[in-house]
Amino acid sequence: MNEVCKLLDIKYPVVQGAMQEVATAELAAAVSNGGGLGIIAAGGKTAEQVRAEIQKAKKLTKNTFAVNLMLMDPNTPEVVKVVIDEGVKVVTTGAGTPKPYMKDLKAAGIKVCPVIPNVKIAKKMEEMGADAVIAEGMEGGGHIGVLTSQTLWPQIADAVSIPLIAAGGIGDGRGVVNAFVAGAKGVQCGTIFSISKESPVGNNWRKLVIDATDTSTVVAGATIKDASRIIKNNIASKLTELELDQVSRDEFNSVMNEGLRNAVQKDDVEDGLVFSGQISGMIHESLPAGEIVKKLMDEAQAVLGKKIELI
């Protein structure tokens, strides 16, 4: 059986990215119902808001889903307690170390899969007791590291014995096969799910991604060591100016967070921030999340010319 499928109790080794403001209970449940692993993003939410999302997801799916912990959030200890209390089976983590919470998460039987940007941190996560690592290349949307997927994935696969879930630049079956060839046992995708039918984003966001080309994204925040890949628009230009003015990280992130809320909640894609990966140039339609999961696997099998053994 595929290691990621067995570990996470899912049908297909496809994980939905934990996109802040976008990765809702509805989206997570739709992905999980389609056989993948849906994820609820806890970033920017209160502990009780996370609880409400978890309870909503439970009503929408009987399958496994995960919660992503944004570890730089000051309320992370409270969110961890909620996750444990609600019986969530899988947690992914980002923006910090899960070390302070690892003992309690593992004691509760929760599978912990940190998102990591390099070999050094991947090894630390394995030593800490992580069940798998999600290695994301800089091609991906949202917060990114400095290594490309093609250089990152095989080095991580060689460095750790726990399963590798590859992320960053995967938008079709060719990307899935590429990840597996590099040593991954599963894939995580964000941009393609961000415009799925169950995503909370509006039609302007969807159209912006669908109309994007291979050069439509830009990296913001690299000089303050908080790089994110977004689609070029008015707020992208503003963020570039803020970097040149050397504003504080807190001020920069405040503008980003407000822009993200405007994009998701108001569908403002001129002055709103749209996280999107370089793979957006390959995405030409909005599909139901479950259909995306199956399409990725069907395409991968067609590329290989044989069935990918999952069980």
Side-chain angles (χ1 to χ4, degrees):
M1 184 175 189
N2 174 277
E3 289 180 58
V4 167
C5 291
K6 182 178 181 180
L7 175 70
L8 305 180
D9 189 25
I10 54 180
K11 182 177 181 180
Y12 301 117
V14 176
V15 177
Q16 163 238 314
M19 302 161 283
Q20 187 173 334
E21 300 289 336
V22 176
T24 61
E26 289 86 355
L27 176 56
V31 173
S32 293
N33 283 334
L37 180 74
I39 299 181
I40 295 169
K45 291 184 174 65
T46 67
E48 287 311 305
Q49 286 174 327
V50 174
R51 186 188 300 277
E53 286 292 291
I54 292 170
Q55 292 178 351
K56 189 185 299 181
K58 287 179 179 178
K59 294 178 180 177
L60 295 172
T61 184
K62 299 301 181 184
N63 296 338
T64 304
F65 64 88
V67 170
N68 173 263
L69 301 175
M70 185 70 162
L71 296 169
M72 65 176 8
D73 280 358
N75 67 337
T76 297
E78 289 77 24
V79 174
V80 169
K81 289 177 182 177
V82 167
V83 166
I84 293 172
D85 184 49
E86 290 293 332
V88 173
K89 296 179 180 179
V90 182
V91 157
T92 66
T93 69
T97 176
K99 186 175 182 179
Y101 316 105
M102 189 66 82
K103 182 179 179 181
D104 289 342
L105 291 170
K106 298 294 287 184
I110 296 173
K111 305 300 183 185
V112 181
C113 308
V115 178
I116 52 92
N118 58 47
V119 167
K120 181 179 180 180
I121 295 177
K123 288 181 175 180
K124 284 185 177 180
M125 293 302 105
E126 182 175 33
E127 292 170 1
M128 203 179 292
D131 296 279
V133 289
I134 302 170
E136 182 176 23
M138 66 177 296
E139 299 94 329
H143 297 286
I144 57 172
V146 297
L147 297 174
T148 66
S149 295
Q150 293 306 301
T151 56
L152 178 64
W153 297 341
Q155 292 185 73
I156 298 294
D158 289 346
V160 299
S161 58
I162 55 179
L164 160 66
I165 299 170
I170 301 171
D172 65 3
R174 291 172 296 180
V176 174
V177 171
N178 204 4
F180 274 66
V181 169
K185 302 300 182 181
V187 297
Q188 176 177 287
C189 303
T191 304
I192 54 174
F193 287 117
S194 75
I195 66 164
S196 68
K197 297 298 185 183
E198 296 85 358
S199 169
V201 306
N203 289 332
N204 290 337
W205 178 309
R206 288 186 173 86
K207 186 175 187 303
L208 193 69
V209 173
I210 289 170
D211 291 346
T213 70
D214 56 340
T215 58
S216 290
T217 65
V218 65
V219 176
T223 60
I224 59 171
K225 298 182 180 180
D226 195 8
S228 296
R229 187 173 296 283
I230 60 179
I231 289 187
K232 298 174 187 175
N233 61 2
N234 290 344
I235 197 170
S237 299
K238 180 178 180 180
L239 290 169
T240 298
E241 292 175 3
L242 290 175
E243 278 192 84
L244 292 174
D245 291 340
Q246 298 181 321
V247 300
S248 70
R249 186 173 182 176
D250 286 344
E251 183 179 348
F252 187 88
N253 284 333
S254 177
V255 174
M256 287 195 73
N257 289 334
E258 182 180 359
L260 179 59
R261 286 191 294 270
N262 286 339
V264 176
Q265 297 172 11
K266 300 178 181 178
D267 203 18
D268 179 354
V269 297
E270 288 298 326
D271 297 307
L273 184 144
V274 177
F275 285 132
S276 191
Q278 289 180 316
I279 207 68
S280 55
M282 291 176 56
I283 300 172
H284 307 301
E285 59 183 337
S286 172
L287 299 170
E291 191 173 325
I292 291 172
V293 174
K294 189 173 186 302
K295 188 168 183 283
L296 284 169
M297 297 309 300
D298 288 347
E299 289 176 351
Q301 290 173 170
V303 170
L304 288 173
K306 63 178 182 179
K307 184 177 181 180
I308 298 175
E309 294 298 329
L310 302 174
I311 59 174

